[in-house]
Amino acid sequence: MKDETIGIQGLAFHEPLLFEQGSQGRRGCSLPENDVPEVKPERLLPKKLLRHDIPGFPELSEVEVVRHFTRLSQWNYGVDLGFYPLGSCTMKYSPKINEEVWKLPGFSRAHPYQPESLAQGALELMFELEQYLAEVSGMDRVSLQPAAGAHGELLGMMLIRAYLESKGSPRKRVLVPDSAHGTNPASAAICGYQCVQIKSGPRGYVEPQAVAEAMDEDVAAIMVTNPNTLGLFEEQIAEIAKIVHSKGGQVYCDGANLNAIIGISRPGDTGIDVLHFNLHKTFSVPHGGGGPGAGPVGLKAHLAPFMPVPVVEKKGKRFVLNYNLPSSVGKVRAFYGHFAALVRAYAYIRSLGPSGLRRVAEVSVINANYLMSQLKSHYHLPYDKFCKHECVFSDARQIPYDVHTLDIAKRLMDYGFHPPTIYFPLIVRGALMIEPTETESRETLDQFIAAMKRIAEEAERDPELVRSAPHKTKVSRLDEVKAARQPNLRWKGKAPGQGGSSAG
Amino acid sequence: MKDETIGIQGLAFHEPLLFEQGSQGRRGCSLPENDVPEVKPERLLPKKLLRHDIPGFPELSEVEVVRHFTRLSQWNYGVDLGFYPLGSCTMKYSPKINEEVWKLPGFSRAHPYQPESLAQGALELMFELEQYLAEVSGMDRVSLQPAAGAHGELLGMMLIRAYLESKGSPRKRVLVPDSAHGTNPASAAICGYQCVQIKSGPRGYVEPQAVAEAMDEDVAAIMVTNPNTLGLFEEQIAEIAKIVHSKGGQVYCDGANLNAIIGISRPGDTGIDVLHFNLHKTFSVPHGGGGPGAGPVGLKAHLAPFMPVPVVEKKGKRFVLNYNLPSSVGKVRAFYGHFAALVRAYAYIRSLGPSGLRRVAEVSVINANYLMSQLKSHYHLPYDKFCKHECVFSDARQIPYDVHTLDIAKRLMDYGFHPPTIYFPLIVRGALMIEPTETESRETLDQFIAAMKRIAEEAERDPELVRSAPHKTKVSRLDEVKAARQPNLRWKGKAPGQGGSSAG
Amino acid sequence: MQYIPNTEADCRAMLDVIGVRSSEELFADIPSKLRLKRGLNLAPPLSEAGLWKHMRALASKNADVDQYSSFLGAGAYNHFLPAAVSHLVFRAEFYTAYTPYQPEISQGTLQAIYEYQTLICQLTGMEVGNASMYDGSSALAEALLMAHRINGRQEVVMPLAVHPEYRMVCQTYAGKLGLRLHDVPSTDRGTTDLKEVKAALSDRTCCVVVQSPNFFGALEMLDEIAEAAHGAGALLVVAVAEAVSFGIVKSPGECGADIVVGEGQSFGNHLNFGGPYLGFFATKEAYIRSMPGRLVGQTEDKAGRTGYVLTLSTREQHIRRDKATSNICTNVGLCALAATVHLALLGRSGLRELALLNLRKTAYAKAAISKLRGYEVRFSGPTFNEFVVRSKKRTPAQVNRALLAKKIIGGLELGRFYPDLSDCLLICVTEQNSREEIDALCKAMGGGR
Amino acid sequence: MQYIPNTEADCRAMLDVIGVRSSEELFADIPSKLRLKRGLNLAPPLSEAGLWKHMRALASKNADVDQYSSFLGAGAYNHFLPAAVSHLVFRAEFYTAYTPYQPEISQGTLQAIYEYQTLICQLTGMEVGNASMYDGSSALAEALLMAHRINGRQEVVMPLAVHPEYRMVCQTYAGKLGLRLHDVPSTDRGTTDLKEVKAALSDRTCCVVVQSPNFFGALEMLDEIAEAAHGAGALLVVAVAEAVSFGIVKSPGECGADIVVGEGQSFGNHLNFGGPYLGFFATKEAYIRSMPGRLVGQTEDKAGRTGYVLTLSTREQHIRRDKATSNICTNVGLCALAATVHLALLGRSGLRELALLNLRKTAYAKAAISKLRGYEVRFSGPTFNEFVVRSKKRTPAQVNRALLAKKIIGGLELGRFYPDLSDCLLICVTEQNSREEIDALCKAMGGGR
Ligand SMILES: Cc1ncc(COP(=O)(O)O)c(C=O)c1O
Ligand SMILES: Cc1ncc(COP(=O)(O)O)c(C=O)c1O
């Protein structure tokens, strides 16, 4: 592999939209026989409610549909194809066995309202998973309902709000560090809070000083991310928590970066009142190209009365769903959460066990520091200290050649890698946020390091080559301005061999 | 799609051999706990039989193995990616549901020697499938044992040999038309017969005349392929059979091309004594990149006593395996055949039913004749009459530009198509044997026709472009001479981080 | 550890390069009082074979709709999923990718979402649809917030015939921003009482919510409610929990809806004991910029080739932060892909036939049950694939217990959500329920009379 | 028809282009007396949902090794298959491709076969391996034909300890070319009697066949047999039915084998009620050109890039026709791929550990059963994961019936193949059999004494 780059070119396939293919009367599936009387729909529904056709709807055979999506899939990059160091997203490899277990009919074909007596396996799994997540995070209870991290943040803020209301007033403001992920302020806002930004200190940490100045009896909570989005562990988290608690506020922890400290430090032991997990990050649930994930929320005992219903409880040998929580905030979604994602996370925890999970943290941190130590020589490292799960560089040393973070990211594709997260966190200008995770081998990291170094050299020698990247992908850089200026968000053409237009 | 060709280029990934990756001590799977005493192997096996290590064996984690084969897979072309008109191979689309049914634990996790009482479902399926195949082919019995078409040919010749032996003498020779697939003479030879080649007539058929001349009491059988490898139905098959039978010979039919006549004409009604099916052609079993398929053999009643054991029989409501056939030829493989392939074929027949199967023949023949009618204008068509499942062109009109069949085949790849079968049948110089099958849409055929016409034009305008094709694939033309002259059939290098060499 | 490539030796070598003696040094920044001094108290690791055995055992403690004949719906529907769906959706290139932030290597996901957005527009009869919301209930809650952003009003008319869990979720969300929900009862047709809707309307009304088919399976007269809502300057938000109905029921867009949301689980997604499902969200072009969620748009690359990108993200949290139209980030992309594949397989004629099958089988069951002694169909309005049955003799719980004995999972006992319907069951019939199953249901309900 | 894209209308349009009135005209060349005048007499078509239901019902009439604890081996072994295997093998690009005739678009299959060939060489200790044969039994038969091609001799020494079905297949093949098989009995160690082998050897002996571990699970002394065979100018053909043994047992290559064949089902392939399995075939470089089957070789493209092609095909039927080294064409490529993936996952340490697990569990079972009253271990020789038990009181059939009552599938009743062993069972123990299962087996065998 020395001189050979991983990124090469091969045969791919042009594939038009579903709507531009097929012909009238084709169909890609067969339906069960109709074994009841062939009553005319007019006899079953009022004329004015009847729909007769959906012009423009696809008409394809099974083979056409299969080829369509098989071809499309090959235009994608995934963890199973290569290194995906998307900072803050923890794109680790998802064990294949987990994709088998959730599909077991007893899980995937179970109805949420089937009798509890016929759902004991599912309830047991949720009950156990809550225990596991509580132990891992040092929290007292965990709600499995939230569908994703941001959803967990929202629930977390709702719990805090309900708790404070029970103490007299929901309060008005929430403190959010400038290094926080955008979902933090957005979640606080939806929960009816004003956001106050806390400036990170020169060393990249949230400073107790700054928190103390912003903290008062109108502040409901602070939302800290730990380890933070610079990949640093907030050393003063305990002091910060003390300050906030002293004024009656609550401490929320964005647990997106738990991967770095799992088995080593527990947010619950650092003064955190509420946190969310991203099972699609730390616990290997595959991200699915944009979800579904799951964002369970861990909480301390004083917030338990406000948990969304139902909660799973164990009565003797039986597991039951308890809806009877008088002070509950209610529900943030129907049913119980992303159960199929919970099954995967449960399976993941059961396969790794205590030692395996700790090893996850160790190796992910070793991998991140290894990358950092090797890339320092070619890229500007704004905060030069040992990191946790990720390291954040910037394009400062390439800007003189008019090569920017975006260009570096695109050029990485030609070398066969997915780019890191870029331009986040906002406090680093032109940030390149690199999270290798524990599932990458040293050789893969070395290949990535070699590519990054070569790109740094190209930036000096042949900047245009980098600015015009990517060169090996199916399409080159896309015109995002055009996309936003003249939004084309749906197909409106005319279907082959169909009469009507696509107007539904 | 008008001006756009389907073939484009996209990002692919370089991937070295399994043996060139990983590092010492890595492993891609976990094994069940050892719950019995940890006895030293030296105490269980004689020292001289003990093996201590396999130097050079792979050492990879699960993620490395998954990426390896996922990347490799993307270098392949498959039916699910596009048109695969490999003549004589019937590369039709394989229904996805069939890939689910054979995996059902009751089929995939059943042991061949488990008690018959615990295998009734499997036996019922085999019993039914034999009936279905007999009905489709017009034969009396079917042996499901052969693993592939050639294996079926061998069994077929063995049956004929055993039958003739029972009549006094196995005889010496077998007649094989010059248009036959190479497996025909090879199978006859392994069965101890000399092959006599029968020259096809000027119209592409086996002529009764020629058969009559070659036929005598030393000839055991004739092996005809019907429809034949030119895609033509042997109009005189009945006469040919009469001639062979009149001299006490048997008629074998290579049924590889059954797709064209299924539900329309049955070999058993045309004088055939034995034939083989290719379930991986006609009955949608996916070819698997080189198998496994299945090549059941249909036979007439007079050959039934010689069938390989066991045969599945129905006793009252129970299905049983009968090993008691005194004149059986024996066995051509262990156990009962490629059961998982039989399950798919059974499922396929059950989903299409009588009308669906007939439609398969009709549409496959319409598709083939459509292609033929459209390509005549640009390619030489040696036998210009309506074809069945496939049509055979030649490079005669491109040779003047020093562009050959191989070049045309390679150039098709750049347009996103798999090439047809080339240089077979041998009776057509530079043959291009095109079999579209019924699972291709008219639009796909039109795209292929457009590509073929463009290549014919390129051959005149810019022959070098065609001769140097393919241009869009991961690798260009490979040096087959080098491969044969200096065979390198296994990796012999040194494994990364391993002491030993790869010497097993 | 098969999931962690680097061995002890690999790690040692890397630590040497980093220049530390042990990984401990890399964690030195975590104050020791914040360290966990013990191992985690979790079950010991299982081998893959051990895990597989354990999970099979757990799963076997649950009923699944392959072993039982089930008549449960109520927001989660048992439809047949063609095998091709999971074969395609679980192509590693799809399910092991992240949100398509880098379009040049995410065109597969992006084109598929663009196709999904189009299908949602076609089904709902709306002009724009987003890339997905968490589920039907949260999509509805987000619709209320969006309506509030559009006209700033505070009151929401919320019929009792909307899925009770959806109503709870709306309540949970809306409260924080001071939105107030007004319940509206249903008539004996099982549909929302138009008079009451009109009575509840005022110039403070932000929007009127309707679910159709509603929780009782009945089809609402959307056009009339739209007229009333618009008359008061309020928006009409339509929720659809059973998306198969789109195949035979006039689209909300044609009836005047301003926002259409709902649950797409019926297409491509398993029951999964409640999730993940698929929240869809569609509206009019005029409202795009108030819309929550991701949007994919078509554009061109430098060579003029068609391509797709995430667009209009200035609405979103990663740019707008606390001014965003929503906090949603990770959504349910793969569920949307599954729906896209399933809808592509069904196609124009298949979707209609599927809807018709559900309609007919339900009508058959409804007629059969209405003939049973001891039961009556509770509401008179037209229904799609669900209807409410009143049990005059035995309690719904007794009825269901009797059914279970016959390996039949009966309807939802409505008392859990509607005290006044505590003698009622919500029965759902889909293409998965054969006529024999329906007849067996009636037999078992009839109690062998 | 969802599998046939072209509709009636499409076909009409194409027929017009072709210039015929109906498809009938395209079949006009088939003499009407050869036409089928009726529809096929087959079951009517099933919908996908109907088929799925039907197939589940059929499958449920079979026992599977997940529901029963099974001690059956005898050439088909119950090993755990990691989930990654089927996820990779059933990537559409692999399983919907044909034999890699066009290397530029088949590099995935070709490189994988090259890797497979290498693994087979490493396991067997031989110099070259082919791309696969149908199964172990046909691979052995082809080995005899190959040996005959090499030295032209006619006699084969065939121990009775070789799998009886393999022996049948060899008989079926060999007879036609006039090869004669000489049976050789076993000693009380359960291994082939070397004296008898030597007695059977002559200058007419083409080859000596040995299976190790043999059908009784016993390990043969290959080196001694090799010496005897070579002494008579005959070739040594070694068959291995349980390939997991390669992980802990010295390779046949190291013991002097000239041809090594066998069954690779244990790696990557399910039991599948007997097939498809994986025949492997390896030999010495000197014999390459007499070898049957496909071979993949490494080479370069015009740009000097490494690539792989099918090579040495002048041995094969499509070139050599009736002079070919074999008639094999379609083999079992996908089964070979599955084995390659499974072996890559197991790796150097995993394969050894797996073999050790099988060895130890079998030793544990053997010791436990030898202590049971009414039973004895029939042979004294060292075994891998199978051994023969003699039942002194009850017939093997009675024993197995008793076991079935406890959901245990017992060992193979040897009487079906060996009249003189009609009181014996062949018991197989793998990593899939937990200690509890083995103890339960003993308890059930002991008949609760
Ligand atoms: C630090 C952080 N917080 C919150 C989120 C939001 O999580 P989700 O996308 O699951 O809603 C993310 C996701 O990227 C994140 O990186
Ligand atoms: C006409 C014909 N006969 C026989 C065969 C051999 O069949 P198989 O490859 O299944 O052994 C083939 C396969 O290509 C064929 O096309």
Side-chain angles (χ1 to χ4, degrees), chain A residues 64-351:
Chain A
E64 292 169 284
V65 173
V66 165
R67 280 185 189 160
H68 179 76
F69 290 101
T70 306
R71 289 173 172 181
L72 260 57
S73 74
Q74 291 195 340
W75 304 341
N76 262 14
Y77 192 103
V79 172
D80 282 9
L81 278 171
F83 188 43
Y84 212 124
L86 203 59
S88 205
C89 299
T90 317
M91 289 295 278
K92 63 172 67 177
Y93 169 73
S94 301
K96 292 300 169 213
I97 183 68
N98 296 0
E99 295 307 311
E100 296 301 312
V101 295
W102 76 264
K103 289 191 187 112
L104 285 164
F107 294 137
S108 62
R109 317 263 299 120
H111 192 286
Y113 287 149
Q114 70 195 37
E116 280 176 3
S117 59
L118 298 181
Q120 287 295 300
L123 297 179
E124 179 178 346
L125 185 146
M126 291 196 287
F127 183 86
E128 292 294 329
L129 181 58
E130 180 181 346
Q131 311 299 312
Y132 297 159
L133 293 176
E135 165 66 8
V136 162
S137 58
M139 309 303 282
D140 298 318
R141 292 297 306 272
V142 177
S143 169
L144 302 174
Q145 252 187 54
H151 207 209
E153 296 168 19
L154 178 58
L155 173 59
M157 297 316 290
M158 286 173 171
L159 291 170
I160 288 171
R161 187 181 182 98
Y163 169 75
L164 293 173
E165 267 168 355
S166 76
K167 292 254 166 296
S169 152
R171 303 194 173 190
K172 298 201 184 58
R173 292 191 297 278
V174 166
L175 310 182
V176 183
D178 52 8
S179 60
H181 192 263
T183 50
N184 291 191
S187 302
I190 293 182
C191 200
Y193 288 113
Q194 281 162 25
C195 294
V196 179
Q197 199 175 70
I198 302 292
K199 204 164 167 323
S200 305
R203 299 173 48 254
Y205 298 101
V206 178
E207 311 257 322
Q209 181 62 24
V211 175
E213 283 160 12
M215 190 65 207
D216 65 28
E217 265 72 13
D218 276 348
V219 172
I222 186 169
M223 298 180 87
V224 282
T225 304
N226 197 23
N228 69 22
T229 59
L230 292 168
L232 306 177
F233 186 91
E234 294 286 355
E235 299 170 346
Q236 314 233 49
I237 184 66
E239 292 65 27
I240 292 165
K242 223 180 267 99
I243 292 164
V244 173
H245 287 146
S246 69
K247 292 272 198 324
Q250 294 281 292
V251 183
Y252 182 93
C253 177
D254 180 330
N257 300 335
L258 224 50
N259 210 56
I261 57 170
I262 187 161
I264 288 168
S265 173
R266 309 192 310 166
D269 303 337
T270 68
I272 302 301
D273 300 293
V274 198
L275 97 163
H276 80 260
F277 303 80
N278 299 67
L279 299 188
H280 45 298
K281 298 180 180 187
T282 318
F283 295 95
S284 86
V285 174
H287 196 275
V297 164
L299 45 106
K300 287 291 174 68
H302 63 282
L303 297 166
F306 309 101
M307 289 175 75
V309 290
V311 291
V312 184
E313 291 171 359
K314 190 169 185 180
K315 293 226 181 315
K317 297 198 132 1
R318 293 192 54 260
F319 297 91
V320 297
L321 289 166
N322 179 5
Y323 284 88
N324 182 19
L325 265 64
S327 339
S328 166
V329 295
K331 287 184 78 60
V332 289
R333 54 159 292 136
F335 311 119
Y336 324 117
H338 283 179
F339 180 75
L342 305 180
V343 175
R344 293 179 176 96
Y346 173 91
Y348 182 71
I349 294 171
R350 290 304 304 262
S351 0

Side-chain angles (χ1 to χ4, degrees), chain C residues 257-297:
Chain C
D258 299 292
I259 303 175
V260 180
V261 299
E263 179 51 66
Q265 173 266 331
S266 291
F267 297 129
N269 289 278
H270 286 290
L271 286 167
N272 290 332
F273 199 60
Y277 286 177
L278 168 61
F280 60 83
F281 198 112
T283 186
K284 299 178 168 169
E285 256 160 27
Y287 300 135
I288 288 185
R289 286 171 201 276
S290 320
M291 190 179 199
R294 294 247 147 85
L295 285 169
V296 169

Side-chain angles (χ1 to χ4, degrees), chain C residues 131-358:
Chain C
S132 82
M133 308 299 285
Y134 301 135
D135 76 337
S137 66
S138 56
L140 182 56
E142 291 260 19
L144 303 194
L145 303 189
M146 172 172 161
H148 176 61
R149 279 194 297 277
I150 291 172
N151 63 20
R153 296 180 178 186
Q154 298 276 344
E155 293 183 2
V156 175
V157 175
M158 176 68 73
L160 291 167
V162 171
H163 194 304
E165 296 209 21
Y166 289 26
R167 291 202 335 268
M168 276 180 86
V169 173
C170 289
Q171 185 58 57
T172 307
Y173 271 73
K176 317 292 168 291
L177 300 177
L179 299 190
R180 288 179 303 286
L181 311 189
H182 288 291
D183 291 350
V184 177
S186 317
T187 68
D188 268 355
R189 299 176 49 75
T191 53
T192 299
D193 189 331
L194 185 60
K195 289 190 316 309
E196 299 275 350
V197 169
K198 288 179 172 157
L201 283 166
S202 78
D203 57 10
R204 293 182 309 285
T205 308
C206 169
C207 62
V208 176
V209 173
V210 206
Q211 178 181 330
S212 185
N214 67 24
F215 191 66
F216 307 129
L219 295 163
E220 300 277 5
M221 293 298 164
L222 298 182
D223 54 348
E224 298 169 5
I225 299 171
E227 194 183 346
H230 293 153
L235 297 168
L236 176 65
V237 176
V238 175
V240 177
E242 170 50 297
V244 168
S245 62
F246 284 129
I248 192 80
V249 178
K250 176 171 284 173
S251 75
E254 291 172 280
C255 303
D258 299 292
I259 303 175
V260 180
V261 299
E263 179 51 66
Q265 173 266 331
S266 291
F267 297 129
N269 289 278
H270 286 290
L271 286 167
N272 290 332
F273 199 60
Y277 286 177
L278 168 61
F280 60 83
F281 198 112
T283 186
K284 299 178 168 169
E285 256 160 27
Y287 300 135
I288 288 185
R289 286 171 201 276
S290 320
M291 190 179 199
R294 294 247 147 85
L295 285 169
V296 169
Q298 192 184 62
T299 183
E300 287 181 348
D301 76 354
K302 290 197 266 125
R305 289 171 295 205
T306 300
Y308 302 86
V309 293
L310 290 172
T311 189
L312 299 179
S313 43
T314 51
R315 299 163 302 113
E316 294 182 61
Q317 35 71 23
H318 57 279
I319 309 259
R320 271 302 240 359
R321 300 182 73 85
D322 56 338
K323 305 279 175 303
T325 56
S326 168
N327 67 331
I328 194 167
C329 182
T330 294
N331 41 81
V332 293
L334 205 68
C335 302
L337 176 64
T340 307
V341 175
H342 192 186
L343 285 166
L345 289 165
L346 282 167
R348 191 183 188 187
S349 63
L351 175 59
R352 181 179 172 78
E353 185 180 323
L354 175 63
L356 204 47
L357 257 177
N358 277 256

Side-chain angles (χ1 to χ4, degrees), chain A residues 421-493:
Chain A
T421 292
I422 53 177
Y423 300 111
F424 176 72
L426 306 177
I427 59 171
V428 173
R429 210 170 148 298
L432 281 153
M433 185 193 213
I434 309 175
E435 179 178 16
T437 86
E438 73 285 0
T439 65
E440 296 301 328
S441 71
R442 182 186 172 198
E443 305 87 274
T444 299
L445 301 181
D446 287 337
Q447 290 160 1
F448 178 76
I449 290 162
M452 284 291 284
K453 289 183 174 174
R454 255 199 260 178
I455 292 170
E457 285 147 21
E458 289 170 349
E460 301 182 17
R461 266 200 353 269
D462 185 359
E464 186 46 34
L465 174 68
V466 183
R467 281 194 295 265
S468 56
H471 303 285
K472 292 178 180 167
T473 51
K474 176 190 178 266
V475 292
S476 58
R477 288 193 207 190
L478 290 148
D479 185 343
E480 313 223 354
V481 176
K482 173 173 191 261
R485 292 260 173 78
Q486 310 143 33
N488 171 347
L489 308 174
R490 62 170 291 193
W491 173 82
K492 291 199 185 108

Side-chain angles (χ1 to χ4, degrees), chain C residues 48 60 95 301 304 377 394 415:
Chain C
E48 185 174 326
S60 67
Y95 83 88
D301 76 354
V377 171
R394 295 177 299 167

